[in-house]
Amino acid sequence: EAGVAQSPRYKIIEKRQSVAFWCNPISGHATLYWYQQILGQGPKLLIQFQNNGVVDDSQLPKDRFSAERLKGVDSTLKIQPAKLEDSAVYLCASSFLTNEKLFFGSGTQLSVL
Amino acid sequence: SQQGEEDPQALSIQEGENATMNCSYKTSINNLQWYRQNSGRGLVHLILIRSNEREKHSGRLRVTLDTSKKSSSLLITASRAADTASYFCATDLSGGSYIPTFGRGTSLIVHP
């Protein structure tokens, strides 16, 4: 089966610019996650969707980050405006059900200069 | 906040040796999962162990769970250079929505 697809693979922007990441989960997976992973740390959950509804977004910096999941399938994560501390790898994951294993995409490596 | 914390932060061994890493957590869980991450890539699921299970095996991997001590261990037997990676445990928060939370990970280096 096809895995979780993410794009772009790499992105370099200047601070205060905007950026968007895209994720296509595995077909049939109801739950979709966005994680931020700063170098040397573990992934931190930004937002969790169940179909097109938000389960948890308590750690999403809502003044600059936004996310949506169109029709309960694809998802986009946007940062506007970006800060230096947003430099990280942004990982998308999906699972068939909650409480089951996660399948991760390869991530988008963001560098904010 | 991070629910699970791995120990040690870094581990360096020779090929053929066993590698053991531990995960401690703070609150009751429904299940605990272990993942591997090779440099620059996404995480790969290794094993899921539920709160009513005490031990699971998958190939050269052995995971134990002690809910009374709120801890889990991952044992890799007969390690190979290809096992070099970071290993993370992920726990949920029982009693509510399932929100998988990762620790900081253990960086394992296996020398050929």
Side-chain angles (χ1 to χ4, degrees):
Chain A
E1 69 184 352
V4 176
Q6 285 190 251
S7 67
R9 186 74 175 92
Y10 304 94
K11 190 72 176 179
I12 301 174
I13 62 173
E14 295 187 349
K15 60 183 179 182
R16 292 188 290 273
Q17 286 188 325
S18 302
V19 64
F21 313 125
W22 173 81
C23 173
N24 186 16
I26 293 173
S27 178
H29 280 196
T31 310
L32 185 147
Y33 313 80
W34 282 102
Y35 285 88
Q36 178 194 58
Q37 186 176 24
I38 293 172
L39 187 63
Q41 298 184 20
K44 181 182 85 171
L45 181 69
L46 294 176
I47 190 166
Q48 178 178 340
F49 291 97
Q50 178 72 18
N51 296 309
N52 60 355
V54 176
V55 174
D56 185 87
D57 63 356
S58 58
Q59 297 192 89
L60 185 73
K62 298 180 185 65
D63 58 335
R64 297 185 300 107
F65 286 63
S66 65
E68 61 179 359
R69 188 176 185 194
L70 305 173
K71 299 180 182 178
V73 182
D74 291 9
S75 178
T76 56
L77 176 69
K78 297 179 181 178
I79 307 175
Q80 180 180 9
K83 293 185 176 182
L84 297 177
E85 58 261 35
D86 298 332
S87 293
V89 175
Y90 290 84
L91 296 163
C92 179
S94 69
S95 61
F96 182 64
L97 297 171
T98 57
N99 208 28
E100 295 294 338
K101 67 180 182 181
L102 276 63
F103 294 82
F104 280 83
S106 296
T108 296
Q109 186 170 330
L110 173 67
S111 297
V112 182
L113 307 178
Chain B
S1 61
Q2 290 180 314
Q3 162 77 316
E5 290 296 336
E6 296 85 348
D7 174 66
Q9 289 188 19
L11 185 58
S12 181
I13 60 175
Q14 295 294 129
E15 241 183 357
E17 294 181 339
N18 294 341
T20 299
M21 51 206 85
N22 304 294
C23 172
S24 59
Y25 55 92
K26 298 176 182 176
T27 63
S28 297
I29 58 172
N30 290 313
N31 67 46
L32 185 146
Q33 302 183 51
W34 285 93
Y35 289 81
R36 183 187 74 229
Q37 184 177 39
N38 291 90
S39 180
R41 295 179 178 271
L43 283 76
V44 174
H45 181 267
L46 298 176
I47 288 183
L48 181 153
I49 186 165
R50 302 198 185 278
S51 60
N52 60 352
E53 298 174 312
R54 291 297 168 259
E55 187 171 312
K56 288 191 83 168
H57 297 255
S58 177
R60 294 183 295 112
L61 307 180
R62 172 178 170 253
V63 168
T64 62
L65 179 64
D66 187 334
T67 54
S68 66
K69 295 182 179 179
K70 292 187 172 59
S71 68
S72 173
S73 67
L74 170 66
L75 169 67
I76 305 173
T77 60
S79 62
R80 306 166 182 168
D83 294 327
T84 294
S86 292
Y87 292 81
F88 296 90
C89 69
T91 55
D92 70 323
L93 299 172
S94 67
S97 299
Y98 177 71
I99 302 171
T101 306
F102 288 82
R104 292 181 176 271
T106 292
S107 176
L108 173 65
I109 297 176
V110 181
H111 299 279

